[in-house]
Amino acid sequence: MNIEQMIKDARLIPVVVINRLEEAVPTAQALQRGGLPIMEVTLRTDCALDAIKAIAIQCPDICLGAGTVTCEAQAREAVEAGARFIVSPGLDVATVRYCVANDIPVFPGCVTPTEIMAALAEGIRVVKFFPANVYGGTKALRALAAPFVDVRFIPTGGVNENNLTEYLDEPAVFAVGGSYMCTSKDIEAGNYSRIEALTKNAIEAVHAWKAGENR
Ligand code: 3PG
């Protein structure tokens, strides 16, 4: 499984918060049924690591990552649990070094030129741009991308079906992250058919966008 290629092809990373362990596998399966075998489980809840373990065992085809990773110890635990990529809200050099040394794709959050330069110094070429809506959206992303021609971004935060293609239109965008196809509300309500439907819509939007521009 080439993780970076899978994410680049799908152009989407669903960001998921699992509050109860029993929600983990059905949420993963709903995303899979919707056509998106990618999932970032955020380390924001007590059961997040167990959720990663359960999904890794029961849905081995999912390109499973851990999000909200803020230190190296968390990255290690997430990888031991079965995460195959790491996403951070910010740039923690120790986390990045651990991932790079172990060949684990890592996407640190960067919203300033200085942070991007620190990521570049660690050999990182794809960064998370978070929270994208607060830090200036596509306009800021384009301005940041201008001097860093080799850097690609994963805008996340405030992305939804209305602005998805606006972000994808930016040449420096690698993929887009978001929770809108798998909201905590739907997960908690066990509304897996809605998660599946919203995921399908998101995938279709990406396909239409790709077809429109011959990408
Ligand atoms: C994240 O952790 O990446 C964000 O919470 C996702 O943002 P969203 O919920 O606005 O999509």
Side-chain angles (χ1 to χ4, degrees):
M1 186 186 286
N2 183 329
I3 302 290
E4 291 211 355
Q5 195 57 48
M6 275 182 82
I7 294 172
K8 194 175 172 208
D9 288 346
R11 299 275 184 163
L12 289 172
I13 303 180
V15 179
V16 183
V17 179
I18 298 291
N19 282 299
R20 289 175 298 167
L21 184 55
E22 59 269 30
E23 299 162 351
V25 170
T27 302
Q29 290 168 336
L31 290 167
Q32 271 182 315
R33 283 197 305 276
L36 189 50
I38 297 172
M39 188 174 184
E40 175 191 327
V41 176
T42 55
L43 300 193
R44 285 179 210 179
T45 58
D46 290 345
C47 69
L49 283 174
D50 286 331
I52 290 173
K53 263 183 217 158
I55 296 163
I57 291 168
Q58 294 184 58
C59 310
D61 294 337
I62 286 220
C63 171
L64 177 62
T68 325
V69 174
T70 57
C71 63
E72 182 188 344
Q74 281 187 334
R76 282 179 189 275
E77 283 180 329
V79 169
E80 274 161 28
R84 303 191 212 196
F85 67 92
I86 297 293
V87 183
S88 285
L91 176 78
D92 176 62
V93 171
T95 300
V96 169
R97 287 190 181 159
Y98 159 75
C99 291
V100 170
N102 289 281
D103 266 336
I104 297 151
V106 57
F107 308 114
C110 296
V111 293
T112 66
T114 304
E115 288 162 1
I116 293 171
M117 285 163 64
L120 282 170
E122 300 300 324
I124 298 297
R125 292 288 175 278
V126 183
V127 300
K128 175 172 175 168
F129 180 57
F130 172 78
N133 55 343
V134 175
Y135 277 97
T138 52
K139 205 173 162 198
L141 198 150
R142 202 173 316 143
L144 277 175
F148 301 111
V149 287
D150 293 334
V151 175
R152 295 293 173 268
F153 296 83
I154 304 177
T156 310
V159 178
N160 55 50
E161 60 269 46
N162 300 320
N163 61 13
L164 172 68
T165 54
E166 199 183 305
Y167 279 105
L168 291 176
D169 276 339
E170 293 300 320
V173 166
F174 184 79
V176 170
S179 67
Y180 79 89
M181 71 290 275
C182 49
T183 63
S184 296
K185 201 172 153 213
D186 281 335
I187 295 172
E188 274 162 35
N191 209 347
Y192 299 115
S193 55
R194 186 173 144 85
I195 294 172
E196 180 183 340
L198 289 175
T199 303
K200 264 189 193 140
N201 287 350
I203 292 284
E204 273 162 24
V206 172
H207 285 170
W209 172 82
K210 279 187 182 173
E213 297 289 334
N214 254 342
R215 278 173 269 233

